[in-house]
Amino acid sequence: MRRHIRHAIAIAAAATTLSGGLLASTGTPAEAAPAAPAPSRYSDDFNGDGYHDLAIGSPDAGVQVTGTDGTTTTLGSAGYVTVSYGSKDGAQKTGLKALTQNSPGVPGDAAQNRRFGQVLTTGDFNADGYADLAVGGRDQVSLLWGSRTGLKGGTLMADPLDWPGYGTVLKAGDFTGDGKTDLVVGHGTRLDLFKGPFKADGSPVSTKKVDTGRNYPVYDEGAQDRIAVGRVNKGSTDDLVVLGEERMRGRVLLGGASGLRLTPATIRGGNSVAVADFDKDGYGDVAVGDAASVLDTERSAGVVRVNYGASNGVDENRSMRMFTEDTPGVPGGVQQGDRFGASVAAADLNRDGYADLVVGAPGERKPTCEHCYISGGGLYVLKGSTKGVTGTGAAFYAYNAPGLPRPAGTYRIPSQLKATDLNNDKQPEITIPVRATAPQVWSVGTKGGKVAGTSPTRVVNAPVDPQIGVGLEFGVLAR
């Protein structure tokens, strides 16, 4: 479900440019001011050219720094981010630049184990018409500003509580309905809503604790995937779905003028969640993947549960639907370790007006023998319909499906999934981080509801830069 940036662009009397997170005058009174940018349609269009862009993090990558004495040191897991800009050809494959905290204009300093880029989210945080990038590192949040030339300059956000886990979760949306982008930030065992727009120094209009009904630890690995933004109750504001750790039940929080409010609605927990309108009734439905679920005696076989949306968050009069690899119409069968539901995403792949559900299963097609280090994994597509998600007509695409690349050595898909139309052909691509000896990100084309095959896949490799090391976690996506 697309989130549009809704705001007006004020035309300044004097021309200004954004650099290093500060506004600085660039002209004299006699000079004509350049035209103000048109509002971007997308919350991930960093350069305002009308195409979605793809932000990618590599938090475990080393960064080389040179001391005052000229010696070079590698800071392990300092991390970096890069952007594959969208265009008529799709995801940018060459010329990617690594942005570390040693790069000009990027706030902060590269540090050992900082893990810059471990969490990413996008939105027009300063309301200037360009999408910006929020970057989480260890106990730190950076805002990198968009501009006509892409990401340029930024600032660190102050940590108001100084708790561990600051920035482990970052989710952007208009949660207050004022047309400005807000930011939800994980903060130890709590979430805080930072109301936009943000000033050049990173300060929000206000900060308010989000009531989730209990303390949800949000500083552990995978917390970002257990929180999703979407429109659940037909409102004009974004809503939030929050799952607990270790598969604890989740809650639906509805947006409004006073911020996010807790509802009585609860949903079964899991490790991944997505919000989309699978039955086209105007309400956002909640799909929860639970890859650790045991079916009969098959451990980590995995399930996906779909809860249908309503005005109060979840339709209590409509049964939750559960999907497994044994569901009629779904190819294959339940096996231990398939991890069906390890990642979920949604998009209208066949352009019939119904969102379709994309489900990752990184253990599918993997041999059961211990220490078998071979390739595997795949993804399922379950169609949306008037009755919601259905197994009828479901399809499976293995790691070696026709049209997909063949990296050298062993590799596994998918660990994260994201659906985005990067080339504006009205047909979403599925972005897949690929865990391999040399990690890649695939932008897999779709056509008529089918994945790959006759539609091209563009492979995005890590930037070539002597100042960064190989990061095996290259592929953290802004979601």
Side-chain angles (χ1 to χ4, degrees):
M1 183 177 294
R2 288 178 177 170
R3 295 197 310 268
H4 298 275
I5 302 173
R6 301 174 304 279
H7 61 268
I9 303 298
I11 301 177
T16 58
T17 60
L18 196 60
S19 177
L22 300 176
L23 287 170
S25 174
T26 59
T28 66
E31 293 178 330
S40 172
R41 292 183 293 162
Y42 305 127
S43 64
D44 53 1
D45 180 8
F46 303 120
N47 57 3
D49 65 354
Y51 290 93
H52 293 278
D53 301 319
L54 192 61
I56 305 169
S58 185
D60 67 329
V63 175
Q64 291 186 359
V65 296
T66 302
T68 55
D69 60 355
T71 59
T72 299
T73 303
T74 298
L75 303 176
S77 295
Y80 70 87
V81 298
T82 189
V83 176
S84 171
Y85 289 94
S87 71
K88 63 180 179 59
D89 298 316
Q92 176 188 358
K93 298 192 298 182
T94 60
L96 275 68
K97 305 295 183 183
L99 296 176
T100 75
Q101 289 189 289
N102 270 11
S103 299
V106 177
D109 297 298
Q112 187 93 5
N113 296 321
R114 173 67 71 192
R115 291 185 58 79
F116 181 73
Q118 70 177 0
V119 181
L120 306 172
T121 197
T122 64
D124 186 7
F125 299 116
N126 59 1
D128 69 345
Y130 295 102
D132 311 307
L133 180 66
V135 183
R138 181 156 291 168
D139 300 327
Q140 191 178 86
V141 176
S142 305
L143 296 179
L144 305 184
W145 306 123
S147 74
R148 199 178 298 275
T149 56
L151 294 181
K152 183 179 180 181
T155 187
L156 289 176
M157 286 180 59
D159 179 355
L161 296 177
D162 195 25
W163 285 12
Y166 176 60
T168 310
V169 165
L170 298 173
K171 292 294 182 181
D174 179 11
F175 303 111
T176 58
D178 63 355
K180 309 299 182 184
T181 304
D182 311 309
L183 182 63
V184 170
V185 180
H187 213 131
T189 56
R190 60 186 272 168
L191 298 174
D192 287 280
L193 174 61
F194 290 72
K195 180 176 168 56
F198 291 76
K199 297 180 181 178
D201 63 0
S203 59
V205 172
S206 63
T207 304
K208 182 179 181 180
K209 181 181 178 181
V210 177
D211 180 12
T212 60
R214 61 175 298 160
N215 285 333
Y216 283 93
V218 294
Y219 50 81
D220 62 324
E221 185 176 355
Q224 178 80 349
D225 292 336
R226 296 198 305 270
I227 300 180
V229 178
R231 299 284 176 85
V232 174
N233 67 342
K234 292 187 178 180
S236 60
T237 61
D238 287 319
D239 308 312
L240 200 69
V241 177
V242 181
L243 306 182
E245 70 167 351
E246 296 181 354
R247 302 158 66 199
M248 290 191 301
R249 295 187 72 85
R251 305 301 294 265
V252 176
L253 289 76
L254 299 179
S258 59
L260 290 161
R261 63 179 175 86
L262 184 65
T263 69
T266 64
I267 54 178
R268 291 282 296 275
N271 58 272
S272 61
V273 59
V275 180
D277 187 1
F278 298 113
D279 57 2
K280 205 165 61 171
D281 67 351
Y283 293 106
D285 309 313
V286 182
V288 176
D290 182 2
S293 185
V294 179
L295 299 176
D296 295 327
T297 60
E298 305 295 335
R299 293 175 297 172
S300 297
V303 304
V304 175
R305 301 179 180 93
V306 178
N307 305 265
Y308 290 96
S311 58
N312 65 346
V314 172
D315 190 346
E316 302 291 348
N317 298 316
R318 191 172 178 185
S319 298
M320 175 268 292
R321 291 289 309 279
M322 186 173 81
F323 296 88
T324 74
E325 291 170 302
D326 278 347
T327 297
V330 176
V334 167
Q335 285 187 312
Q336 177 176 311
D338 282 350
R339 294 187 58 78
F340 179 79
S343 182
V344 291
D348 183 6
L349 300 183
N350 57 6
R351 299 175 64 179
D352 64 354
Y354 298 92
D356 304 309
L357 180 63
V358 186
V359 181
E364 180 65 33
R365 302 288 175 94
K366 175 184 176 182
T368 56
C369 58
E370 189 175 3
H371 306 305
C372 287
Y373 298 109
I374 71 170
S375 301
L379 60 91
Y380 291 83
V381 176
L382 282 66
K383 294 181 179 180
S385 71
T386 55
K387 296 181 179 180
V389 177
T390 177
T392 302
F396 174 71
Y397 302 90
Y399 68 97
N400 57 354
L404 293 182
R406 300 286 190 275
T410 64
Y411 60 99
R412 190 165 300 284
I413 67 170
S415 56
Q416 282 187 10
L417 292 168
K418 180 177 180 178
T420 312
D421 182 9
L422 292 165
N423 60 1
N424 277 1
D425 66 350
K426 311 303 181 184
Q427 191 70 60
E429 290 82 51
I430 299 176
T431 304
I432 304 175
V434 180
R435 296 292 174 246
T437 304
Q440 301 174 332
V441 172
W442 296 351
S443 177
V444 183
T446 66
K447 187 174 183 180
K450 299 185 182 300
V451 177
T454 58
S455 301
T457 293
R458 294 178 69 84
V459 176
V460 180
N461 293 301
V464 178
D465 187 331
Q467 296 186 31
I468 59 173
V470 175
L472 296 180
E473 295 180 33
F474 175 78
V476 174
L477 302 178
R479 298 174 56 184

